[in-house]
Amino acid sequence: MNIVVCVKQVIDTEAVITLAADGSVERAGQTLVIDPYSEFAVERAVQLKEEQGGTVTLLTLGDGDCLAAVRHGLAMGADGAVLIEDDAWLERDAAQAAALLAEALETMDADLIMGGWKSGDTAAAQVMGRVAARLGLPWATMATACDVTATGLRVQCEVDDGVEVVDMPLPAVVAAQQGLAEPRYPSVRDVMGARRKPVETRPAAAFAAAAAPSAAVVASRALKPARAGGRIVEGTTAEAAAETARLLAEEAKVL
Amino acid sequence: MGATPTREVLWNISAHWIVYPCLLLALACAGYFFMRRWRLWKIGLPENRSDQRGVRLRGMVRDALLQAKVTERRGPGLVHVAMYTAMAILLVATATVAAQADLGLPLVQGPFYLYFLSLTVDIAGAVFCVAMAACIVRRLANKGLESKPGDYAVLGALLAIGVTGFLLEGLRIAGTDDPWSAWSPVGDACAGLFAGWSAAQIGAVHAGLWYFHMALAFGLIAYWTYSKLVHVLLVPAGVYWRSLAPKGELPFIDMEDEGLLTMGAGTLEELTWKDLFDTQACIRCNRCQEACPAFAVGKPLSPKALMQDLGAALEQRGPIVYRVRKEAAKAARDAASEAAAQGAGGAGAEAVGAASPTLAPAADLLAAADLTEAERAIVDRTLVGDVIAPEALWSCTTCGACMEVCPAFLEHTPKIVKMRTYQVSMESAFPPEAQATFRNLEHNGNPWGVGWQTRTRWAEGLDVPTLAEHPDAEYLYWPGCSGAFDARNRKVSEALVALLREAGVDFAILGNEEKCCGEAARRMGNEFVYFMLASENIAALNASGVKKIIVQCPHCYQALARDYPQLGGTYEVIHHGELLARLVEEGRLPRLDGPAKAPAREDDAASGTAPAPAAAAAPGTPARVCFHDSCYLGRYQDVYDEPRAVVRAAGAQVVEMERHGANSFCCGAGGGRMWLEEGAGERVNVARTAQALATGPDMVACACPFCLTMLSDGMVSADATVPVRDIAELYRGALHE
């Protein structure tokens, strides 16, 4: 089975974030890691390869700095990678990112496309669904289990207060939720081996999708105003209840 | 008494020449078995253990010949010295008799005969027999020794040799009516057994018994190097070849070497010859097992079993590896000489040059070798998994208590770390919870994974300069991850900073550039993460021209002082316990003599009575402070007195646990165990806390952040309210009372 995993690189989830003057997150000096949701997908993909045979290829939209995440995925057991090199990748919205990834995937002949259901930084949860739509493939998201069956895949998806088990034919798109697989810790042997695995770099400029403008443009960013302290109404229960009702009616005007 | 005291040597023995061929045969057997053992450790990696010959020889004289280490354990140690000395005396006596009988030297006469050959040898023989009997009884009584049939066979044979020796002497005395027999009291007493026997009876029994005695002795010599008695050779050799490196130093692995194919020990032949030698020199004396904190609380680790299991596996695998390598070397030589014979000129010379080529790794040779099914099964056994249980490997706290007590100076923990290194670096096989720690170290340079940008937050409001702000500071203060991130240990950092200020010490910190020292990562086997952390730290330290470093964590101490020199970082490192003691000594910090000294309450110390509550101390009585030695400050750095001096300078009285100093009992956090779950058995920290509470302390003091955490947790588990403090907090508290 030929599996392609879309991998994003993000700032370490424990990092202390500082904001630039325009309100965007300062990336300089930050530890960059493979996105945790991408990592779940890579792990399951490598497991499926180990079970079923085939190949795992990573697909990343980003700049040269993102190679660290790619190398990590290769050390985990992926066989090769494609980097859509794009210095403007951080400015691209989810629709553009999905368009670029889908265009690359058209020529990659994947039986299964995987990725994180959202990313640890922007958490838009848009890209994998849009990729599936663009390629016209069935899509399962928030996957916590993914197994190969005689007819395709059986995927367990997290839904509110439960799980949904879906069967789908291949090719398909599966977006990983935490719990899909516990990512392995690559050994030094794996890390060394990853240095020799092929990484194909394809400039974004060569993609038709790169020319399309962003569907949404960020106008400005601002922090949420600090929460004002609440008020404590004192007195006996009956008095406090009456006073609270009065405040809700007269001051907050919600009653 | 006009006659010269003497006796007829070899009385009643007509064909004593038989002993020489027997001896040769026995020695040949011993030589053959020794050769078989020598081949076992031959398969290991090279390692130089022949430098500093003078130091090594002196150590061998002290600890092997004079048995200094052996007698550190009084009971069995003294019995061992008794049998060792007696055996030496008996050997001299036998040699003397042989010299008279066959070299014609007139030795067996005069005062030497009376005082030495009769009296001394008789006493030695008696001591020897008693010691052997005592050993047999000890083995029968103490099941913890896990005695094997071979142990009894050796002791029984030695005892039989001793007893038959006395019977022979008695028979000779009875048969010759020896006028000097009073000088051989035990033999004389034995002669009484044969009173009334005819000369013929005595002669016949004597001759029979003599040959039996000889047969036993030669049998034992033949069996010598096959059995545990080989320790007579291997333990002195092991003492000679002991490690003279700074304690806790691990083998350097060059992570920048492009040709680095493997690291650590994944097979026996990836250990060094000395590691393999150790498995042969171990005599199962049990001291390491009794010292091991993991074993004491029921974890699946025994340092003795580790040595023995490695040794047993080596006896199976070693001969196969030895043979396969030998065959490969021969094949390579044959090919080379053939090429040399055929080829002319350049090509031939080249082939001859390759006459002793580096052989392929043993794993490749073994994979290609033509082995029987049984041999294949042996070589397929994995070192960790089949030979050593992973649970045992990961139970070790690397506290070094086993090595401290080993009379043969065997090295247990380096083998464990080497195996862990292979497991983590090459197989990625380790307790799952370690993964988060490794990740945290990689991403944020601290084991908790707190954002690296927050490292200096502990110092906010304390006005501690960074090196960037104060580049000329005399000392770099290295609070370590615990001192910077752990809420409890930040208080130690605060106390220490206050004391350094008070004493006028000129210091600065590295700030957010500081990363975990990597000590835990390295001892957990993650050489790669250690290398990354250490390299970045060394780059930062060297760029700032740091010379002197104050650490408050003994694990940082180990890394900065003992690990970093291998990577080009050489600093003068001092633990805050040492520095505070020195500052008190120099008068830069006051010595707070407690009020009237309370009467010593030594009786409580080891009695294990209920802990005395702090309130019980009479007013004006110095507080009873139980000091717990950190393994990496004590055993590894030999710093025992300074932290105690700080406790005393605070006006407190130091009380000791039964296991303190070099014999201290680990808190359970060393060797990266701080970051691992505890599996089977009791918790090590709970056991240690109970030992501390048994001294009835007002306070428990330590000098290591891990110990502080573990003992504080132990107090909670024990529902005890005795405070646990770092010595810096203790001293500062007393100073500002």
Side-chain angles (χ1 to χ4, degrees):
Chain A
M1 192 157 63
N2 183 11
I3 307 174
V4 177
V5 187
C6 300
V7 169
K8 186 177 182 183
Q9 176 159 284
V10 298
I11 294 173
D12 175 42
T13 47
E14 291 294 327
V16 179
I17 302 297
T18 51
L19 299 180
D22 68 348
S24 63
V25 173
E26 196 72 78
R27 288 177 71 86
Q30 291 289 11
T31 309
L32 301 174
V33 301
I34 185 171
D35 176 60
Y37 298 94
S38 304
E39 200 179 359
F40 301 139
V42 173
E43 177 60 38
R44 187 61 195 139
V46 172
Q47 289 174 1
L48 285 172
K49 179 187 83 166
E50 287 164 356
E51 290 165 19
Q52 310 285 335
T55 60
V56 174
T57 309
L58 308 178
L59 175 62
T60 294
L61 170 64
D63 53 25
D65 285 348
C66 295
L67 280 174
V70 172
R71 292 285 172 206
H72 185 86
L74 292 174
M76 288 175 71
D79 303 283
V82 175
L83 173 69
I84 306 171
E85 194 169 28
D86 182 7
D87 288 339
W89 74 284
L90 285 166
E91 279 84 62
R92 298 207 187 263
D93 66 5
Q96 278 185 309
L100 282 162
L101 293 172
E103 192 175 333
L105 282 161
E106 275 166 10
T107 60
M108 290 176 79
D109 191 27
D111 300 310
L112 172 60
I113 296 164
M114 298 181 79
W117 81 274
K118 65 173 184 177
S119 62
D121 53 359
T122 55
Q126 295 280 312
V127 172
M128 294 314 293
R130 286 175 180 271
V131 165
R134 281 188 167 270
L135 297 175
L137 296 179
W139 174 51
T141 190
M142 295 182 82
T144 52
C146 173
D147 292 288
V148 174
T149 60
T151 54
L153 287 178
R154 171 161 290 191
V155 186
Q156 179 178 293
C157 301
E158 201 174 281
V159 294
D160 283 352
D161 302 325
V163 292
E164 185 176 74
V165 176
V166 296
D167 285 325
M168 52 207 287
L170 293 172
V173 178
V174 173
Q177 164 67 313
Q178 182 163 16
L180 177 64
E182 194 55 47
R184 68 191 67 194
Y185 187 81
S187 70
V188 175
R189 178 167 24 209
D190 300 330
V191 172
M192 303 279 185
R195 292 184 190 159
R196 290 187 290 274
K197 290 182 177 172
V199 178
E200 181 195 344
T201 301
R202 297 173 58 184
F207 285 73
S214 282
V217 177
V218 176
S220 71
R221 297 179 176 91
L223 290 174
K224 283 187 211 166
R227 197 164 153 266
R231 274 169 72 178
I232 295 172
V233 181
E234 291 183 3
T236 65
T237 310
E239 286 168 9
E243 175 66 3
T244 304
R246 188 191 66 77
L247 289 171
L248 287 171
E250 293 176 13
E251 289 194 14
K253 298 192 196 309
V254 293
L255 292 182
Chain B
M1 283 189 213
T4 308
T6 184
R7 70 170 167 93
E8 183 189 340
V9 300
L10 298 166
W11 169 78
N12 191 40
I13 302 303
S14 50
H16 85 267
W17 56 267
I18 191 95
V19 299
Y20 293 103
C22 287
L23 179 65
L24 279 181
L25 194 65
L27 285 177
C29 285
Y32 167 73
F33 288 128
F34 186 81
M35 182 61 93
R36 288 208 332 187
R37 284 197 193 261
W38 174 81
R39 281 182 188 169
L40 293 180
W41 68 76
K42 228 0 222 170
I43 68 165
L45 296 172
E47 180 177 18
N48 181 15
R49 288 295 176 94
S50 299
D51 56 334
Q52 305 184 58
R53 292 207 165 82
V55 180
R56 292 183 179 283
L57 274 174
R58 276 196 294 281
M60 195 168 82
V61 168
R62 182 184 62 237
D63 290 307
L65 280 172
L66 302 177
Q67 310 256 303
K69 192 83 192 172
V70 177
T71 50
E72 279 177 12
R73 268 285 294 279
R74 287 295 165 206
L78 291 175
V79 172
H80 188 268
V81 168
M83 68 173 86
Y84 163 79
T85 313
M87 179 59 114
I89 291 170
L90 293 171
L91 271 178
V92 171
T94 305
T96 311
V97 169
Q100 166 137 344
D102 296 306
L103 298 177
L105 301 176
L107 297 170
V108 186
Q109 55 178 289
F112 178 70
Y113 170 66
L114 282 191
Y115 303 138
F116 182 75
L117 285 179
S118 294
L119 186 60
T120 307
V121 169
D122 235 43
I123 293 169
V127 165
F128 185 75
C129 289
V130 169
M132 288 304 149
C135 288
I136 292 172
V137 170
R138 171 174 176 250
R139 288 199 170 273
L140 288 171
N142 185 352
K143 294 294 170 211
L145 292 173
E146 297 165 286
S147 301
K148 294 180 181 177
D151 299 328
Y152 291 111
V154 165
L155 289 169
L158 286 168
L159 180 60
I161 290 171
V163 169
T164 53
F166 279 122
L167 291 176
L168 284 167
E169 187 175 42
L171 286 162
R172 177 187 59 76
I173 290 169
T176 60
D177 201 14
D178 185 353
W180 309 99
S181 65
W183 292 92
S184 305
V186 184
D188 208 18
C190 288
L193 296 173
F194 312 110
W197 286 29
S198 74
Q201 279 174 320
I202 288 178
V205 172
H206 178 272
L209 203 56
W210 191 86
Y211 286 107
F212 176 69
H213 179 83
M214 284 298 139
L216 265 183
F218 289 127
L220 211 54
I221 292 173
Y223 182 57
W224 177 23
T225 53
Y226 181 82
S227 73
K228 64 190 290 190
L229 287 175
V230 72
H231 81 277
V232 172
L233 299 173
L234 297 192
V235 170
V239 176
Y240 180 81
W241 287 325
R242 71 196 182 280
S243 170
L244 297 179
K247 285 197 238 173
E249 195 183 273
L250 294 171
F252 172 59
I253 297 174
D254 186 358
M255 298 296 293
E256 283 166 326
D257 175 8
E258 292 285 328
L260 186 70
L261 292 173
T262 185
M263 58 182 87
T267 59
L268 285 165
E269 57 273 16
E270 285 170 348
L271 289 164
T272 72
W273 69 267
K274 175 59 172 52
D275 286 321
L276 300 182
F277 170 89
D278 283 1
T279 68
Q280 300 299 300
C282 171
I283 185 147
R284 295 185 284 120
C285 75
N286 231 30
R287 293 187 191 191
C288 55
Q289 181 171 299
E290 285 161 12
C292 177
F295 185 84
V297 299
K299 305 287 181 211
L301 168 69
S302 153
K304 176 185 77 170
L306 178 100
M307 280 290 174
Q308 291 291 317
D309 292 346
L310 290 175
L314 180 62
E315 281 169 27
Q316 292 193 310
R317 185 185 175 94
I320 302 173
V321 174
Y322 185 86
R323 191 189 76 219
V324 167
R325 278 215 185 124
K326 207 174 161 188
E327 283 166 4
K330 184 171 181 301
R333 270 197 313 275
D334 288 352
S337 51
E338 203 173 305
Q342 284 177 359
E350 220 167 85
V352 172
S356 55
T358 357
L359 290 177
D364 297 348
L365 292 178
L366 287 172
D370 184 20
L371 301 178
T372 66
E373 216 164 283
E375 288 174 330
R376 181 62 64 193
I378 288 169
V379 299
D380 284 348
R381 293 183 79 207
T382 57
L383 182 56
V384 175
D386 291 334
V387 178
I388 303 296
E391 298 76 23
L393 189 72
W394 291 100
S395 290
C396 178
T397 67
T398 70
C399 77
C402 49
M403 293 169 62
E404 186 70 32
V405 297
C406 180
F409 293 82
L410 306 185
E411 297 148 58
H412 310 69
T413 50
K415 294 177 191 33
I416 288 177
V417 175
K418 285 175 194 178
M419 287 189 270
R420 285 183 178 180
T421 303
Y422 180 84
Q423 290 301 105
V424 172
S425 303
M426 305 313 293
E427 297 292 334
S428 202
F430 47 78
E433 62 272 21
Q435 182 162 344
T437 307
F438 293 155
R439 283 282 174 98
N440 293 337
L441 291 171
E442 282 177 35
H443 294 165
N444 281 298
N446 67 77
W448 288 279
V450 185
W452 62 268
Q453 301 92 335
T454 62
R455 184 175 279 271
T456 40
R457 274 196 194 155
W458 69 272
E460 277 170 16
L462 297 178
D463 194 25
V464 178
T466 61
L467 263 190
E469 293 156 358
H470 182 33
D472 302 327
E474 182 188 359
Y475 285 102
L476 172 76
Y477 166 44
W478 182 277
C481 298
S482 297
F485 291 109
D486 176 54
R488 175 68 189 84
N489 277 293
R490 279 180 173 192
K491 293 186 180 153
V492 180
S493 314
E494 285 164 26
L496 185 55
V497 164
L499 291 173
L500 295 177
R501 284 265 160 68
E502 202 121 4
V505 175
D506 180 25
F507 69 97
I509 58 170
L510 205 52
N512 286 339
E513 267 190 272
E514 183 185 314
K515 290 187 181 301
C516 172
C517 63
E519 187 270 346
R522 196 173 195 204
R523 274 145 194 91
M524 286 163 94
N526 200 328
E527 190 76 18
F528 185 68
V529 166
Y530 159 73
F531 173 78
M532 306 272 286
L533 295 168
S535 308
E536 289 183 50
N537 280 330
I538 292 169
L541 291 168
N542 289 354
S544 310
V546 169
K547 301 269 185 303
K548 298 204 276 189
I549 304 176
I550 304 166
V551 292
Q552 78 191 51
C553 173
H555 297 269
C556 299
Y557 200 157
Q558 186 70 20
L560 296 171
R562 300 263 163 94
D563 289 345
Y564 284 13
Q566 293 176 336
L567 296 172
T570 309
Y571 317 102
E572 189 186 321
V573 186
I574 186 168
H575 184 263
H576 72 286
E578 295 171 283
L579 181 62
L580 293 177
R582 189 200 291 171
L583 294 172
V584 169
E585 197 62 37
E586 290 170 353
R588 292 166 71 183
L589 286 174
R591 196 184 298 277
L592 307 164
D593 281 321
K597 288 270 180 271
R601 298 198 304 184
E602 297 295 333
D603 53 324
D604 301 1
S607 66
T609 48
T621 305
R624 290 168 58 82
V625 173
C626 175
F627 182 74
H628 161 81
D629 287 283
S630 147
C631 307
Y632 276 82
L633 186 62
R635 269 193 290 272
Y636 280 91
Q637 298 286 349
D638 295 298
V639 175
Y640 300 111
D641 299 335
E642 291 86 344
R644 287 176 171 76
V646 175
V647 173
R648 289 197 192 94
Q653 174 199 353
V654 177
V655 292
E656 300 288 5
M657 289 178 259
E658 189 192 331
R659 291 194 56 175
H660 64 274
N663 194 29
S664 182
F665 189 95
C666 181
C667 71
R673 292 256 11 132
M674 179 77 188
W675 313 109
L676 302 176
E677 303 291 338
E678 284 209 28
E682 199 194 341
R683 300 180 72 88
V684 180
N685 64 327
V686 170
R688 185 52 166 171
T689 307
Q691 294 170 18
L693 287 172
T695 65
D698 299 317
M699 184 187 286
V700 174
C702 52
C704 167
F706 292 171
C707 297
L708 186 62
T709 302
M710 296 305 265
L711 295 178
S712 301
D713 289 355
M715 286 296 171
V716 174
S717 299
D719 254 337
T721 52
V722 177
V724 183
R725 298 278 181 275
D726 184 273
I727 51 170
E729 297 176 294
L730 164 67
Y731 180 81
R732 184 171 182 238
L735 193 60
H736 292 275
E737 228 163 41

